[in-house]
Amino acid sequence: MTEMTDNTVNESGEKQKPRIATAALCGCFGCHMSFLDIDERILQLVELVEFDRSPITDIKEVGPCDIGLIEGGVANAENVEVLRDFRRHCKILVAVGACAVNGGVPAMRNQFELKECLVEAYINGIGVENPQIPDDPEIPLLLDKVHPVHEVVKIDYFLPGCPPSADTLWTFLNEILAGEEITFPYSLIHYD
Amino acid sequence: MSTEKTFKLDGKSIPFQDGDTIMDAALRAGEYIPHLCHNPEFAPHGSCRVCIVDVNGRHMSACTLPAAEGLEVDNSSERIMEQRRNILQMLFVEGNHVCPGCEKSGACQLQAVAYYTRMLSPHYTHFFPKRSVDASHPDIAIDFNRCILCELCVRASRDVDKKNVFSITGRGLESRLVINSASGKLGNSALSASDKAVSVCPVGAILPKHVGYDQPIGDRLYDNKPISVVGDVASANNQQENAND
């Protein structure tokens, strides 16, 4: 397993905090909400780390980071791009939640042809007016299948759960920041 | 005077009787060996391989290996646990096990054994097979996405219910559960909700209808205690049925 390396020292000789980036791919944002469920412990966390790209900071581009947390599976071309960008920039990349770990609920569309899904939603959907399949070039192209993140890039740690509880995320971050082995009590491992 | 025959399980002496498997003797002694296709009420099947143990240097399934004097059985080393995790990971990627969308979640033996072995990821590439759901029966639904081919329903329907509703057809990757009825649908079969075959399913494949979320998530068999403590889905169902009688 990948280890945290020593923090780099900045120009004024101070130790820099580890940098964390987070991204939501094809998920429901529930894992990020669960992350925020650490509640006031987030004050302790910002003492320990610096946030890079994340919906929490609204920074759009990921820079060199120690830890990247990925929520959601890989369902379109933009997801692939973001995931690869995270892999390039993060020393440790973590699959967070059921969708990142195994595709989750979005991967249930893998039972059908992509075209069937689009027709069902945009042509035959109840209440659809002026039916057409969206094809604006700004919209990322959907992949044929939804994939777990480990099928696209190397993943260092997996945190299952839909979502992983705030305690699971908190335990993981504390252990990894302390350079400890990642272990969870029974109550913190669940897939639902 | 001690004429009792024993073998060693993780260094502990386990007494056994003639005809016992390693699993029989371990269960009687209150020792947990992870398993999915095994149910003490039925003849051993040996198909899921989750009960793999190291016996004097060989890897064997505990549910099919006859107990013998002097065996040294490793049931808990990291090496054995890792093999079990790999087997479970293969079971997970081979089907479509979407725990957040499954009403059996929290009371599913596949999930519980995976928790027990500390499985955090599926590791392998998902097959995402295309399988169907059969909801044609008024009281029971079957979701083939979740079937792990343990054959417990096959055994229960044949040996206890005497109905032969289920069978496995095909070989290797083509193996699948089929229903013995004119239409191939559950609705035309002889299955009824009180059949043994319905209560032995360790996963969310065979589900009684209309009771899906009677027991809330968070309050289910494996939500707070590991399977090594609370036991199998089928035995919990038995206890519930006895309590209802």
Side-chain angles (χ1 to χ4, degrees):
Chain A
M1 280 291 169
T2 313
E3 297 296 326
M4 288 276 293
T5 49
D6 282 344
N7 299 340
T8 47
V9 176
N10 71 7
E11 287 142 13
S12 45
E14 294 165 342
K15 262 201 158 185
Q16 284 189 331
K17 293 179 192 171
R19 293 183 73 81
I20 292 189
T22 79
L25 308 181
C26 184
C28 69
F29 249 82
C31 297
H32 274 80
M33 298 305 290
S34 188
F35 186 32
L36 293 178
D37 277 343
I38 63 172
D39 296 332
E40 72 275 11
R41 289 175 287 185
I42 203 160
L43 298 174
Q44 287 170 255
L45 188 61
V46 292
E47 292 294 318
L48 292 173
V49 303
E50 199 76 52
F51 274 94
D52 194 270
R53 174 186 163 151
S54 168
I56 299 167
T57 57
D58 213 22
I59 297 171
K60 306 294 187 197
E61 296 291 327
V62 63
C65 282
D66 296 283
I67 302 168
L69 304 178
I70 302 288
E71 165 186 349
V74 184
N76 65 34
E78 194 237 358
N79 296 155
V80 177
E81 195 180 308
V82 171
L83 181 58
R84 287 187 172 153
D85 207 22
F86 263 69
R87 181 66 279 183
R88 273 193 294 275
H89 286 94
C90 301
K91 290 176 191 162
I92 295 168
L93 200 58
V94 189
V96 179
C99 302
V101 169
N102 59 31
V105 170
M108 289 173 88
R109 84 153 154 92
N110 294 353
Q111 291 288 302
F112 307 95
E113 299 301 316
L114 179 57
K115 191 176 178 186
E116 288 178 84
C117 299
L118 291 168
V119 167
E120 179 69 19
Y122 295 106
I123 306 291
N124 298 331
I126 294 164
V128 171
E129 286 179 29
N130 184 20
Q132 54 180 313
I133 291 174
D135 62 351
D136 191 292
E138 291 265 320
I139 301 173
L141 281 174
L142 289 170
L143 304 184
D144 182 36
K145 294 270 184 283
V146 178
H147 296 274
V149 292
H150 75 268
E151 292 183 13
V152 180
V153 297
K154 179 184 184 293
I155 297 294
D156 302 300
Y157 293 98
F158 295 83
L159 304 179
C162 184
S165 67
D167 285 336
T168 305
L169 289 156
W170 179 248
T171 302
F172 172 77
L173 287 172
N174 274 286
E175 288 173 339
I176 201 152
L177 289 168
E180 291 167 4
E181 191 187 346
I182 309 300
T183 54
F184 297 106
Y186 181 79
S187 59
L188 294 188
I189 300 179
H190 61 97
Y191 303 157
D192 57 7
Chain B
M1 184 189 91
S2 172
T3 53
E4 201 176 49
K5 295 179 186 173
T6 62
F7 64 89
K8 292 261 195 236
L9 184 77
D10 295 333
K12 224 166 149 179
S13 274
I14 306 290
F16 69 93
Q17 296 153 13
D18 288 336
D20 273 354
T21 60
I22 301 282
M23 181 70 83
D24 293 332
L27 286 177
R28 199 179 306 118
E31 296 294 325
Y32 177 67
I33 300 177
H35 54 272
L36 288 170
C37 74
H38 184 70
N39 178 324
E41 294 180 62
F42 299 95
H45 195 246
S47 64
C48 78
R49 314 314 286 178
V50 167
C51 70
I52 189 166
V53 285
D54 183 304
V55 184
N56 295 14
R58 291 181 182 208
H59 288 183
M60 315 288 285
S61 57
C63 73
T64 53
L65 185 73
E69 198 125 32
L71 293 183
E72 301 264 349
V73 182
D74 164 16
N75 175 41
S76 60
S77 66
E78 181 49 30
R79 195 160 153 251
I80 286 295
M81 281 298 189
E82 191 178 354
Q83 289 215 7
R84 287 179 184 148
R85 264 199 305 276
N86 291 344
I87 291 164
L88 289 160
Q89 284 165 328
M90 287 188 262
L91 283 172
F92 269 91
V93 302
E94 202 177 282
N96 295 304
H97 299 278
V98 190
C99 298
C102 178
E103 66 179 64
K104 191 72 174 268
S105 192
C108 164
Q109 206 164 315
L110 176 64
Q111 206 182 42
V113 175
Y115 292 170
Y116 179 81
T117 64
R118 295 283 190 263
M119 184 191 118
L120 295 179
S121 85
H123 180 79
Y124 299 108
T125 301
H126 280 259
F127 287 20
F128 295 122
K130 293 190 178 181
R131 298 198 198 153
S132 60
V133 177
D134 178 350
S136 58
H137 194 287
D139 303 315
I140 308 141
I142 181 158
D143 186 340
F144 294 99
N145 290 289
R146 303 166 185 160
C147 177
I148 56 167
L149 303 174
C150 69
E151 291 199 27
L152 273 169
C153 59
V154 177
R155 286 178 274 169
S157 189
R158 182 189 62 213
D159 303 340
V160 178
D161 304 329
K162 309 287 183 196
K163 290 184 181 176
N164 258 325
V165 171
F166 299 101
S167 180
I168 303 287
T169 188
R171 287 181 181 276
L173 267 182
E174 304 298 318
S175 305
R176 63 190 198 279
L177 186 66
V178 286
I179 292 154
N180 178 15
S181 73
S183 62
K185 292 283 184 192
L186 209 55
N188 301 110
S189 75
L191 191 68
S192 69
S194 57
D195 283 358
K196 189 80 179 169
V198 177
S199 67
V200 291
C201 182
V203 294
I206 302 177
L207 291 168
K209 288 184 179 178
H210 321 299
V211 293
Y213 291 92
D214 279 3
Q215 192 169 26
I217 300 270
D219 214 11
R220 298 182 169 195
L221 189 60
Y222 304 122
D223 278 342
N224 302 303
K225 284 185 184 153
I227 188 166
S228 55
V229 174
V230 295
D232 294 351
V233 170
S235 59
N237 286 344
N238 280 350
Q239 280 166 20
Q240 203 171 354
E241 273 162 29
N242 293 340
N244 292 342
D245 285 344

